[in-house]
Amino acid sequence: MNLKLIKLSVVVQFLVILVACNGEKNVKAEVTQENNKPNILFIPIDDLRPELGCYGNDLVISPNIDKLAENGVVFNNAYCQQAVCTPSRTSLLTGLRPDSTQVWDLRTHFRTNLPNVVSLPQFFKNNGYYTVGLGKTFHNTLQDSIAWNEYLHVDGFPFDPDAVYVNHDNIVEQKELELKRLKNGKAKFDKYGFIYSKTRSSEMGISEDDAYYDGAQTTLAIKKLKALKNSKTPFFLSVGFYKPHLPFNAPKKYWDLYDRDKIPLANNQYAPKDSPEFSIHGDAELRGYVDAKNNLPKPNEAPWDEDKQRELIHAYYACVSYIDAQIGRLLNELNQLGLAENTIVVLWGDHGWKLGEHNGWGKQTNYEIDTRVPLIISGNGVKSKGKTSHALTEFVDVYPTLCDMAGFSVPEHLQGLSLKPVLEDSEVTIKDAAYSQFLLGRYGPPEARKQERMGYTVRTDRYRYVEWYTWNKNKNVPEQLIARELFDHENDTQENYNIVNNPEHEILIKQLSNKLKEGFTF
């Protein structure tokens, strides 16, 4: 396809969405059914891999999420639109892809580009629901006040509470760092009087659950559920959990669930063969912690020390089990209050996270390990209970799904499809491809930011195909095609071998390139 048309299509796509959203701010949807409106319990979880009991992982201890899955559908092939917090959450919560929201990094608020777009909780607020947000739904530092009737924060915690430490030595280290930053003029207080500082990448907390924010906000969410029960108005309650985001801090009792010596390490600790070197980069996030910044290898170097690998994986799993316990508390309260029968529960993790795979430690790639996500929809209106769907699905499908399940007409500008047919019959498929992208060059050390590159990827039942372009950051358009990748999941489920240069795949590559351009409206 002509390069000028490619550039033009990205701009036109954004303008079409901008026009579509201009009149949307207070529009109410047509009700398509007369029954009582279901409540919605929305559970975003940061950095959660689809490695849970209900996803077939026998090592990870997640009994409460597994129980939730027994009353719903597990989407085994769900994909985020970009493996970075803000773009991923923005896509799910607006029903639009990153090229349409123009959000590709952690700093951009979607309302800067689309001031009148109606976010998912705002849609329900506009249509008679009482919306309450706790924790991390939108990106933690980029809230959306007009989406909520109430947005709650637990007293005594920072505005951004992911880096909370409870052990004495770690607190001292954190406070010493804060003083140093204050003296250097590099620190500022948030609106609650805290300074955001991270030190160690993990902590085995000598504490109870509520010493960390996720436990404390679950206690607050339970109190709010009790109040919402007495209202005649249906509710949309979002309880966004921070763990297992770095630092991997969790109470000791969750660490004790695992035998570190029995935790397996990734068996593909190398970059994909014959892929461009830039496609796996240097895990900038983890390098911000004092125990990793000087010893964490780059993807093209020898793997990390095995003891350190096991420590970090152990910490990650402990955090998953800690969050699972909080979800159990929340679901138990929902049942005890008699709300479960008329509530849709949506649990999702915003993207994957490498634990040594491809010799990486973090997210931010176009590969399966980062783009494949957990998604479980359970409760009211789900007929195919206890089933696993292998249908290709995407985060942009969540918004139209909830509209459909609640009996509202689906806004026409949304770019996903309703998953209601799959919730009624888990054998149904609704699309033949899922799409993700990643803008490389806005993260990491200065040398990594010299050239921005956009990778677009399409995932079909069998293949993952990627096209990399140079990116014009002034015009926000792709320019020169510089690399391609092709992975065959029938023979290479870990995406270890890029086979794009194999001559026998020439026709297949053309087909997949056309399929990719359908998803990104090139």
Side-chain angles (χ1 to χ4, degrees), residues 274-295:
D274 297 322
S275 283
E277 186 175 342
F278 58 75
S279 64
I280 294 284
H281 52 98
D283 311 304
E285 183 179 4
L286 183 54
R287 292 181 192 280
Y289 292 83
V290 297
D291 54 340
K293 65 180 182 180
N294 294 323
N295 56 40

Side-chain angles (χ1 to χ4, degrees), residues 44 133-136 151-154 157 161 209-210 212-224 238-243 322-323 326 329-330:
L134 292 91
K136 188 173 181 180
Y151 183 78
L152 305 177
H153 185 82
V154 183
F157 287 91
D209 288 11
D210 284 17
Y212 293 111
Y213 191 81
D214 287 314
Q217 78 163 356
T218 303
T219 298
L220 181 58
I222 287 171
K223 291 179 180 177
K224 178 51 63 174
S238 179
V239 185
F241 291 103
Y242 283 85
K243 301 304 164 194
Y322 168 54
I323 294 306
Q326 308 319 307
R329 294 173 60 202
L330 202 55

Side-chain angles (χ1 to χ4, degrees), residues 200-211:
R200 300 281 158 181
S201 62
S202 67
E203 178 182 73
M204 184 186 294
I206 310 303
S207 67
E208 296 302 318
D209 288 11
D210 284 17

Side-chain angles (χ1 to χ4, degrees), residues 97-358:
R97 301 185 187 280
D99 275 1
S100 296
T101 63
Q102 305 255 307
V103 175
W104 302 287
D105 56 39
L106 292 172
R107 300 182 297 271
T108 304
H109 197 298
F110 64 91
R111 293 209 180 277
T112 301
N113 301 320
L114 298 173
N116 294 325
V117 70
V118 177
S119 67
L120 175 58
Q122 183 189 0
F123 175 91
F124 282 89
K125 178 185 174 185
N126 290 352
N127 286 281
Y129 277 66
Y130 193 81
T131 60
V132 182
L134 292 91
K136 188 173 181 180
T137 304
F138 299 90
H139 192 270
N140 43 341
T141 57
L142 299 173
Q143 296 298 334
D144 186 40
S145 59
I146 63 175
W148 310 109
N149 292 104
E150 289 185 77
Y151 183 78
L152 305 177
H153 185 82
V154 183
D155 291 341
F157 287 91
F159 175 70
D160 185 354
D162 61 9
V164 171
Y165 299 87
V166 300
N167 292 348
H168 177 267
D169 289 349
N170 289 339
I171 292 174
V172 170
E173 185 177 37
Q174 185 182 40
K175 296 307 176 185
E176 288 176 346
L177 175 62
E178 290 175 5
L179 287 172
K180 182 179 179 180
R181 292 175 59 210
L182 278 170
K183 289 178 180 179
N184 294 334
K186 295 182 178 180
K188 60 180 180 180
F189 291 94
D190 68 23
K191 64 181 181 179
Y192 299 114
F194 292 89
I195 298 171
Y196 181 83
S197 298
K198 54 189 182 183
T199 55
R200 300 281 158 181
S201 62
S202 67
E203 178 182 73
M204 184 186 294
I206 310 303
S207 67
E208 296 302 318
D209 288 11
D210 284 17
Y212 293 111
Y213 191 81
D214 287 314
Q217 78 163 356
T218 303
T219 298
L220 181 58
I222 287 171
K223 291 179 180 177
K224 178 51 63 174
L225 267 177
K226 291 176 179 177
L228 292 171
K229 173 182 169 58
N230 298 321
S231 172
K232 295 181 180 180
T233 303
F235 64 77
F236 184 109
L237 172 63
S238 179
V239 185
F241 291 103
Y242 283 85
K243 301 304 164 194
H245 190 285
L246 283 167
F248 299 152
N249 298 350
K252 181 179 181 297
K253 62 183 175 181
Y254 300 104
W255 291 69
D256 291 344
L257 296 174
Y258 299 92
D259 182 343
R260 185 178 298 186
D261 293 336
K262 294 182 179 179
I263 294 176
L265 304 182
N267 61 8
N268 62 335
Q269 295 190 42
Y270 49 85
K273 306 295 184 183
D274 297 322
S275 283
E277 186 175 342
F278 58 75
S279 64
I280 294 284
H281 52 98
D283 311 304
E285 183 179 4
L286 183 54
R287 292 181 192 280
Y289 292 83
V290 297
D291 54 340
K293 65 180 182 180
N294 294 323
N295 56 40
L296 181 67
K298 294 181 179 179
N300 61 351
E301 297 174 345
W304 210 5
D305 174 79
E306 286 196 5
D307 288 341
K308 189 61 182 176
Q309 289 192 46
R310 290 188 192 280
E311 176 188 336
L312 206 66
I313 298 172
H314 186 182
Y316 181 91
Y317 288 165
C319 287
V320 172
S321 294
Y322 168 54
I323 294 306
D324 178 81
Q326 308 319 307
I327 291 169
R329 294 173 60 202
L330 202 55
L331 296 177
N332 287 340
E333 188 67 25
L334 197 72
N335 280 307
Q336 290 177 11
L337 293 172
L339 294 170
E341 185 176 346
N342 194 39
T343 299
I344 302 167
V345 182
V346 184
L347 182 148
W348 53 282
D350 56 357
H351 41 65
W353 214 90
K354 294 181 293 299
L355 291 170
E357 293 88 359
H358 293 158

Side-chain angles (χ1 to χ4, degrees), residues 47 83 85 245 281 285 351-354 361-365 370:
D47 288 4
C85 292
H245 190 285
H281 52 98
E285 183 179 4
H351 41 65
W353 214 90
K354 294 181 293 299
W361 297 85
K363 54 251 189 187
Q364 301 180 0
T365 75
D370 289 342

Side-chain angles (χ1 to χ4, degrees), residues 78-84 88 349-352 370-373 393-395 435-437:
Y79 295 89
C80 67
Q81 268 43 76
Q82 186 170 328
V84 184
S88 174
D350 56 357
H351 41 65
D370 289 342
T371 59
R372 181 169 170 256
V373 289
T393 53
E394 307 173 89
F395 271 175
Y435 299 90
S436 305
Q437 62 189 110

